[in-house]
Amino acid sequence: MASRVNLIDTTLRDGQQSLWATRMTSAMMLPMLPVMDRVGYDAIECLGTSGMDACVRYLKEDPWERLRLLRERVKHTPLQMISICIGFSVGKALMPDDMLELFFLRCAAGGIDRFFLMDGLNDIRNFEVPIRAAHKAGAKVLGGIVYSISPVHTDEHFVQKTKELVELGADILVMKDPNGILTPERVRSLAPAMKAASAGRPFYCHSHCITGLGPATNLEAVRCGAEVIWTASRALANGSSLPATSSMLRHLKRAGYEVDLDADAIQQIEDYFYSVARRHNKPVGKPAEYDPSFYEHQMPGGMISNFRAQMAQLGLENRIEEVFEEIPAVRADLGWSLMVTPFSQVIGTQAALNVLYGRYKVTLNEVDQLVLGYYGKTPAPVNPDLLDAISRRTGKQPITKRPGLTLAPALERFRRENGPFASDEEMLLAYLFMPEHIRALRAAGPMPLEDAVSAGPLADLVREVAKRKDVRHFHLAM
């Protein structure tokens, strides 16, 4: 049992991704960064590929500029980023090795100190390029082994994956539970086994609150040897997010652990983000109600609300329970692939297609790629009948080598055919996003950096009057 414990703050990344659909603007973040920097966190997790995607497509913000602004204001605490290993998002789920390496190198050059890496199949071969790039840039790697429930996701499976990550060079090992389905009981067997396999390297736990067990699971993980856990400021905690920082700090200290964090600064951060939520009419996190169905479909909390909305738009909300029941069958056919980005979206969509049209009468291209091995080795063999059907239809045979090795280098060709570019960062944006998204980003102009949060009614009033020099009289509605 660790006597000294620390926290990773993920308010700016997983907190807002889980509860605000990754719509927190940079201007909402900036005022609190110096305060967050003095808390004493193990790291501030501030960015992910989903966040970069939302910056460009929805917020019209340059993610490289956001990273620069974050780095300017956080001078002492490591900045951390989460990423899948082989690509960027569902649309770019597999990238050539040279482009992938450049992406991680530029993130590190922009100020990322630590990369929290995960693979949707727990295929450790896929960590090779990002670990090499991170270490080349002098950054550290947190290797996430994603927890799941299936016949093949045994303690032995997770221990073996931990050993493989150690061998590949991960600096920190993480028991990662993005679906919130890890229980305190399972932690008691799994965490000590994974920690023992970590070969003396730090062992962390990351577990969501989706089923309501997040706080208890994280506390049990600490009792079983985890040295660091993830939390978020209360306004963006609980629900489908992570446990609340102030609560976990209190629980840990009461349990006798040494947690050397600035409680006053944590309260200031909490007050600030509640004010942001009020000003922008954002939801705030509330403790989740226990729902045992999550242990069956294992759909991530951040996905389930969007999925329900999409089914409703199609007039199919009355069939969503059928889809949830179909998900485990699809997972079994796909070799018990994990319900985590990017495969949770693929599996959920394929389950919906199966319910609507019959089993695999219509299949996603991503399902074809997954079955044929183009995202990596699945935890178990895929359904042989499905594999045969896809092989016949596509004319392709399954591959066994690391997926990145199937793609030709693309960096110089892309530069030559699409350049010139002012920088590698500009080139990466052009590679990762559709041209219309980049045009809209540029047309939006400079990123707004002020007036992101109310400092109070009087301050708002003075600020508005200062903008409008013609105002001489106003009515205050009480």
Side-chain angles (χ1 to χ4, degrees):
M1 180 177 75
S3 60
R4 185 181 178 88
V5 180
N6 206 341
L7 307 178
I8 292 172
D9 183 276
T10 190
T11 305
L12 308 182
R13 205 285 297 175
D14 216 344
Q16 63 127 342
Q17 182 173 326
S18 296
L19 298 182
W20 291 2
T22 325
R23 299 300 192 271
M24 184 186 289
T25 65
S26 297
M28 294 177 189
M29 301 177 179
L30 298 181
M32 265 301 103
L33 292 176
V35 181
M36 297 176 77
D37 193 23
R38 72 169 187 257
V39 170
Y41 295 122
D42 185 68
I44 296 172
E45 191 169 273
C46 61
L47 197 62
T49 50
S50 294
M52 297 180 83
D53 182 77
C55 274
V56 173
R57 295 207 295 150
Y58 303 113
L59 301 177
K60 304 299 183 284
E61 294 187 359
D62 186 333
W64 302 110
E65 176 67 5
R66 170 179 288 193
L67 180 55
R68 184 187 68 79
L69 293 168
L70 291 169
R71 184 73 279 175
E72 279 183 355
R73 290 158 175 79
V74 178
K75 303 180 184 300
H76 308 292
T77 311
L79 288 181
Q80 184 169 299
M81 173 181 179
I82 191 170
S83 178
I84 58 175
C85 286
I86 61 173
F88 184 77
S89 63
V90 175
K92 290 282 187 182
L94 179 62
M95 290 166 56
D97 284 357
D98 58 346
M99 198 69 79
L100 188 65
E101 180 173 5
L102 180 65
F103 172 74
F104 285 104
L105 289 173
R106 297 322 300 165
C107 288
I112 295 298
D113 302 296
R114 307 195 327 189
F115 291 95
F116 181 17
L117 303 175
M118 50 167 275
D119 181 71
L121 300 176
N122 281 337
D123 184 346
I124 306 305
R125 300 175 304 169
N126 288 334
F127 285 77
E128 180 183 325
V129 172
I131 286 180
R132 182 176 68 228
H135 285 167
K136 182 177 180 180
K140 289 189 175 182
V141 170
L142 287 74
I145 300 100
V146 180
Y147 178 73
S148 185
I149 300 172
S150 84
V152 300
H153 287 97
T154 62
D155 284 9
E156 291 75 18
H157 167 90
F158 295 114
V159 165
Q160 178 59 35
K161 297 303 178 181
T162 303
K163 291 178 178 178
E164 291 174 16
L165 267 177
V166 168
E167 185 175 344
L168 202 56
D171 302 289
I172 297 166
L173 285 302
V174 183
M175 179 170 62
K176 177 169 171 53
D177 174 31
N179 309 86
I181 53 175
L182 188 60
T183 65
E185 292 78 13
R186 185 68 191 277
V187 165
R188 289 177 198 130
S189 67
L190 184 56
M194 291 179 66
K195 185 175 177 65
S198 299
R201 302 184 189 199
F203 177 69
Y204 294 5
C205 177
H206 172 279
S207 185
H208 278 249
C209 297
I210 298 167
T211 62
L213 293 180
T217 297
N218 279 283
L219 288 170
E220 188 64 24
V222 170
R223 195 186 70 80
C224 292
E227 296 138 78
V228 173
I229 58 175
W230 276 250
T231 64
S233 190
R234 185 175 297 278
L236 290 113
N238 295 306
S240 57
S241 182
L242 282 299
T245 302
S246 55
S247 294
M248 295 306 288
L249 177 61
R250 183 174 64 253
H251 299 329
L252 288 165
K253 286 189 172 182
R254 184 180 295 141
Y257 296 99
E258 181 185 351
V259 193
D260 188 17
L261 298 177
D262 187 332
D264 291 337
I266 289 172
Q267 184 61 54
Q268 186 178 347
I269 295 163
E270 191 170 293
D271 293 342
Y272 172 83
F273 282 110
Y274 268 114
S275 69
V276 173
R278 286 193 298 270
R279 179 175 175 84
H280 296 279
N281 197 29
K282 298 286 189 183
V284 296
K286 298 177 181 178
E289 181 178 334
Y290 177 72
D291 184 349
S293 71
F294 276 97
Y295 295 94
E296 297 296 327
H297 61 68
Q298 299 178 48
M299 187 176 285
M303 174 184 170
I304 199 165
S305 56
N306 291 331
F307 194 78
R308 286 186 186 276
Q310 290 166 11
M311 292 290 284
Q313 288 172 2
L314 296 171
L316 299 170
E317 61 267 38
N318 62 320
R319 304 196 69 181
I320 195 164
E321 293 303 323
E322 294 178 68
V323 176
F324 288 161
E325 292 172 5
E326 177 67 9
I327 283 174
V330 174
R331 286 192 66 210
D333 289 337
L334 300 183
W336 292 108
S337 298
L338 304 170
M339 288 296 288
V340 64
T341 301
F343 304 121
S344 53
Q345 294 90 335
V346 172
I347 293 167
T349 304
Q350 187 62 56
L353 293 174
N354 287 0
V355 167
L356 293 175
Y357 304 111
R359 282 237 169 113
Y360 305 109
K361 299 297 184 184
V362 178
T363 60
L364 296 170
N365 177 64
E366 289 81 5
V367 168
D368 295 350
Q369 298 293 95
L370 178 56
V371 167
L372 293 170
Y374 284 92
Y375 296 129
K377 183 180 179 181
T378 54
V382 299
N383 183 319
D385 294 333
L386 180 60
L387 173 58
D388 288 345
I390 290 174
S391 291
R392 286 196 303 271
R393 177 166 48 77
T394 62
K396 296 180 179 179
Q397 292 301 309
I399 66 167
T400 57
K401 58 186 175 181
R402 181 172 64 80
L405 297 175
T406 67
L407 300 180
L411 182 56
E412 294 307 322
R413 176 172 54 83
F414 188 83
R415 274 202 183 106
R416 184 173 62 252
E417 295 177 0
N418 298 276
F421 298 102
S423 65
D424 285 340
E425 288 79 1
E426 182 181 299
M427 186 210 67
L428 283 164
L429 289 179
Y431 176 78
L432 294 169
F433 294 96
M434 299 294 289
E436 57 266 30
H437 293 143
I438 301 302
R439 286 194 294 270
L441 171 66
R442 300 308 178 205
M447 184 189 304
L449 303 181
E450 297 180 354
D451 199 26
V453 63
S454 173
L458 179 59
D460 286 348
L461 178 61
V462 171
R463 191 179 293 120
E464 283 301 312
V465 171
K467 290 179 182 177
R468 300 172 58 179
K469 302 300 184 184
D470 58 322
V471 172
R472 292 292 180 270
H473 181 268
F474 53 85
H475 172 66
L476 184 62
M478 300 297 287

